[in-house]
Amino acid sequence: MTYPTLDAYLGSPDPSSGPVAIILAEDRTAIARTLEHHARLGFGLILVIGPGGVLEGDAEGVVHIEEQIGDRDFAVGLLNRLIDRFAGRWVYWCFNAEFLYFPFMETRGIRDFTGFLEEERRDAVFSYVVDLYAGDLDRYPDGVSLDAAYFDGSGYYAFDRYRDGEALDRQFDVFGGLAWRFEQFVPWERRRIDRIALFRATEGLRIAPDLTLNEPEMNTVSCPWHHNATIAVASFRVAKSLKRNPGSMFEIDSFLWRRSLPFRWHSEQLLEEGIIEPGQWF
């Protein structure tokens, strides 16, 4: 089903149930693969926000809202308008050409995962954005290759997060990937690779421009007494940006370096590399 505006969608009934995936479609890059990936995880509703033409036909369980995605602040504004509608439900959000990975997802669905999180009394999951990129930019000049993707196997680091001179409990600013290796082309405020991509919506919850939530505990990496599960968003978004931006497109001949690893499209690889962890989920 398609709605011409976000207002039209918000004024309509919602018969769906279960976790919601919101996909912000900036263009048509890997749209079909993005939908296929998240549909396979078992979301009760997949909401695609993007201009007319980003989708080819209708797909079961997919709702399209025809809104042009502007800059990141505009996208955050759209997400914030949707949170109250989905109060009580788990919400995941990403851009097109981004793919959710959580532990054991090949044999367990998103409802299994969020059910475990509720048992742990967690309302949000600390998330890492892992940059994907094409290994051959001559063959894939936009930096996107679904068949031969790579990611960085090392080069990630984190700092305590501070507010008003005080370190915040169990909160970290995380860096790495393409935005770290090509930092001269990426503004400082866009270099962090942490976000809260999966959370349980409540009325009044909001996403800030820096992609943190206005409820401090929901920005923590784990609870005070043990480690919790974390997730990754495997993303071509930075690769696309670096190869489309006139200031960087001709300056980068290759994204590959000595710690580039072929991406196997399997959660086990991210667990092995220590990028995500299962916490107490086995």
Side-chain angles (χ1 to χ4, degrees), residues 189-212:
E189 64 274 12
R190 293 292 188 265
R191 294 179 194 169
R192 281 180 32 235
I193 63 168
D194 59 273
R195 77 169 68 148
I196 305 300
L198 178 64
F199 57 87
R200 184 154 53 175
T202 59
E203 290 189 11
L205 184 68
R206 294 294 181 266
I207 304 171
D210 66 355
L211 304 187
T212 59

Short mmCIF file of all heavy atoms in Angstrom, two decimals, residues 189-212:
data_model
loop_
_atom_site.label_atom_id
_atom_site.label_comp_id
_atom_site.label_asym_id
_atom_site.label_seq_id
_atom_site.Cartn_x
_atom_site.Cartn_y
_atom_site.Cartn_z
N GLU A 189 31.12 15.56 12.95
CA GLU A 189 29.85 15.15 13.55
C GLU A 189 29.21 13.97 12.82
O GLU A 189 28.18 13.45 13.27
CB GLU A 189 28.87 16.32 13.60
CG GLU A 189 28.43 16.87 12.26
CD GLU A 189 29.39 17.92 11.70
OE1 GLU A 189 30.51 18.06 12.25
OE2 GLU A 189 29.01 18.59 10.72
N ARG A 190 29.80 13.52 11.71
CA ARG A 190 29.26 12.38 10.96
C ARG A 190 30.18 11.15 11.04
O ARG A 190 29.96 10.17 10.34
CB ARG A 190 29.05 12.76 9.49
CG ARG A 190 27.97 13.80 9.25
CD ARG A 190 26.59 13.25 9.57
NE ARG A 190 25.52 14.16 9.18
CZ ARG A 190 24.94 15.03 9.99
NH1 ARG A 190 25.36 15.11 11.26
NH2 ARG A 190 23.98 15.82 9.57
N ARG A 191 31.19 11.18 11.89
CA ARG A 191 32.17 10.09 11.92
C ARG A 191 31.82 8.96 12.88
O ARG A 191 32.37 7.88 12.77
CB ARG A 191 33.57 10.64 12.26
CG ARG A 191 34.13 11.54 11.20
CD ARG A 191 35.49 12.08 11.61
NE ARG A 191 35.90 13.19 10.76
CZ ARG A 191 36.93 13.99 11.02
NH1 ARG A 191 37.66 13.78 12.11
NH2 ARG A 191 37.22 14.98 10.21
N ARG A 192 30.94 9.20 13.84
CA ARG A 192 30.59 8.14 14.78
C ARG A 192 29.84 7.01 14.06
O ARG A 192 29.06 7.27 13.14
CB ARG A 192 29.69 8.69 15.90
CG ARG A 192 30.44 9.43 16.97
CD ARG A 192 29.50 9.95 18.06
NE ARG A 192 28.36 9.11 18.30
CZ ARG A 192 27.09 9.53 18.24
NH1 ARG A 192 26.80 10.78 17.94
NH2 ARG A 192 26.10 8.69 18.49
N ILE A 193 30.09 5.78 14.50
CA ILE A 193 29.42 4.64 13.88
C ILE A 193 28.48 3.94 14.85
O ILE A 193 28.00 2.84 14.56
CB ILE A 193 30.44 3.63 13.31
CG1 ILE A 193 31.31 3.05 14.43
CG2 ILE A 193 31.30 4.28 12.24
CD1 ILE A 193 32.13 1.85 13.97
N ASP A 194 28.21 4.54 16.00
CA ASP A 194 27.22 3.97 16.91
C ASP A 194 25.87 4.63 16.67
O ASP A 194 25.78 5.81 16.33
CB ASP A 194 27.65 4.15 18.37
CG ASP A 194 27.85 5.62 18.73
OD1 ASP A 194 28.96 6.14 18.52
OD2 ASP A 194 26.88 6.26 19.21
N ARG A 195 24.83 3.87 16.85
CA ARG A 195 23.47 4.39 16.83
C ARG A 195 22.59 3.41 17.59
O ARG A 195 23.01 2.28 17.86
CB ARG A 195 22.95 4.61 15.39
CG ARG A 195 22.54 3.35 14.66
CD ARG A 195 21.78 3.60 13.34
NE ARG A 195 22.55 4.17 12.27
CZ ARG A 195 22.33 3.91 10.97
NH1 ARG A 195 21.36 3.10 10.60
NH2 ARG A 195 23.05 4.47 10.03
N ILE A 196 21.42 3.84 17.97
CA ILE A 196 20.43 2.94 18.57
C ILE A 196 19.43 2.62 17.47
O ILE A 196 18.46 3.34 17.28
CB ILE A 196 19.76 3.56 19.81
CG1 ILE A 196 20.81 4.02 20.82
CG2 ILE A 196 18.81 2.55 20.45
CD1 ILE A 196 21.71 2.90 21.33
N ALA A 197 19.70 1.55 16.75
CA ALA A 197 18.90 1.23 15.56
C ALA A 197 17.66 0.42 15.89
O ALA A 197 16.74 0.34 15.07
CB ALA A 197 19.75 0.48 14.55
N LEU A 198 17.61 -0.20 17.08
CA LEU A 198 16.49 -1.04 17.47
C LEU A 198 16.09 -0.69 18.89
O LEU A 198 16.90 -0.77 19.81
CB LEU A 198 16.87 -2.52 17.36
CG LEU A 198 15.83 -3.55 17.79
CD1 LEU A 198 14.60 -3.50 16.88
CD2 LEU A 198 16.43 -4.96 17.79
N PHE A 199 14.83 -0.28 19.07
CA PHE A 199 14.37 0.13 20.40
C PHE A 199 12.87 -0.12 20.51
O PHE A 199 12.16 -0.26 19.51
CB PHE A 199 14.68 1.61 20.65
CG PHE A 199 14.11 2.55 19.63
CD1 PHE A 199 12.83 3.06 19.76
CD2 PHE A 199 14.87 2.93 18.52
CE1 PHE A 199 12.29 3.92 18.81
CE2 PHE A 199 14.34 3.80 17.56
CZ PHE A 199 13.06 4.29 17.71
N ARG A 200 12.40 -0.15 21.75
CA ARG A 200 10.96 -0.26 21.99
C ARG A 200 10.39 1.14 22.10
O ARG A 200 10.78 1.91 22.99
CB ARG A 200 10.67 -1.08 23.24
CG ARG A 200 9.19 -1.31 23.46
CD ARG A 200 8.87 -2.55 24.25
NE ARG A 200 9.58 -2.64 25.51
CZ ARG A 200 9.38 -3.60 26.40
NH1 ARG A 200 8.51 -4.56 26.15
NH2 ARG A 200 10.06 -3.62 27.53
N ALA A 201 9.48 1.48 21.22
CA ALA A 201 8.94 2.84 21.16
C ALA A 201 8.04 3.12 22.35
O ALA A 201 7.29 2.24 22.80
CB ALA A 201 8.17 3.04 19.86
N THR A 202 8.10 4.34 22.84
CA THR A 202 7.19 4.83 23.86
C THR A 202 6.79 6.25 23.50
O THR A 202 7.53 6.95 22.79
CB THR A 202 7.84 4.84 25.26
OG1 THR A 202 9.02 5.66 25.23
CG2 THR A 202 8.22 3.44 25.70
N GLU A 203 5.63 6.67 23.96
CA GLU A 203 5.19 8.04 23.68
C GLU A 203 6.17 9.03 24.30
O GLU A 203 6.56 8.90 25.46
CB GLU A 203 3.79 8.27 24.22
CG GLU A 203 2.71 7.51 23.46
CD GLU A 203 1.31 7.93 23.88
OE1 GLU A 203 1.19 8.95 24.59
OE2 GLU A 203 0.35 7.24 23.49
N GLY A 204 6.60 10.00 23.51
CA GLY A 204 7.53 11.01 23.98
C GLY A 204 8.99 10.67 23.74
O GLY A 204 9.85 11.54 23.89
N LEU A 205 9.28 9.42 23.37
CA LEU A 205 10.67 9.07 23.03
C LEU A 205 11.05 9.77 21.73
O LEU A 205 10.27 9.81 20.78
CB LEU A 205 10.79 7.56 22.87
CG LEU A 205 12.21 7.03 22.60
CD1 LEU A 205 13.09 7.21 23.82
CD2 LEU A 205 12.15 5.56 22.20
N ARG A 206 12.26 10.31 21.68
CA ARG A 206 12.70 11.03 20.49
C ARG A 206 14.16 10.73 20.19
O ARG A 206 14.96 10.47 21.09
CB ARG A 206 12.51 12.55 20.65
CG ARG A 206 11.05 12.99 20.74
CD ARG A 206 10.29 12.74 19.46
NE ARG A 206 8.90 13.17 19.51
CZ ARG A 206 7.88 12.37 19.83
NH1 ARG A 206 8.09 11.10 20.13
NH2 ARG A 206 6.65 12.83 19.84
N ILE A 207 14.49 10.79 18.91
CA ILE A 207 15.86 10.64 18.43
C ILE A 207 16.46 12.03 18.25
O ILE A 207 15.87 12.89 17.59
CB ILE A 207 15.92 9.88 17.10
CG1 ILE A 207 15.21 8.52 17.24
CG2 ILE A 207 17.35 9.70 16.63
CD1 ILE A 207 15.02 7.79 15.92
N ALA A 208 17.61 12.27 18.84
CA ALA A 208 18.29 13.56 18.74
C ALA A 208 19.05 13.64 17.41
O ALA A 208 19.28 12.63 16.75
CB ALA A 208 19.24 13.75 19.92
N PRO A 209 19.47 14.84 17.02
CA PRO A 209 20.24 14.97 15.78
C PRO A 209 21.52 14.13 15.74
O PRO A 209 21.97 13.74 14.66
CB PRO A 209 20.56 16.47 15.72
CG PRO A 209 19.43 17.11 16.46
CD PRO A 209 19.11 16.16 17.57
N ASP A 210 22.10 13.83 16.92
CA ASP A 210 23.30 12.99 16.95
C ASP A 210 22.97 11.50 17.01
O ASP A 210 23.85 10.67 17.24
CB ASP A 210 24.22 13.39 18.11
CG ASP A 210 23.60 13.11 19.47
OD1 ASP A 210 22.41 12.70 19.54
OD2 ASP A 210 24.30 13.30 20.48
N LEU A 211 21.69 11.17 16.83
CA LEU A 211 21.17 9.80 16.77
C LEU A 211 21.13 9.10 18.13
O LEU A 211 20.93 7.88 18.20
CB LEU A 211 21.96 8.94 15.76
CG LEU A 211 22.02 9.47 14.33
CD1 LEU A 211 22.67 8.46 13.41
CD2 LEU A 211 20.64 9.86 13.82
N THR A 212 21.30 9.84 19.23
CA THR A 212 21.04 9.27 20.55
C THR A 212 19.56 9.47 20.87
O THR A 212 18.85 10.25 20.22
CB THR A 212 21.91 9.94 21.62
OG1 THR A 212 21.62 11.35 21.64
CG2 THR A 212 23.38 9.74 21.34
#
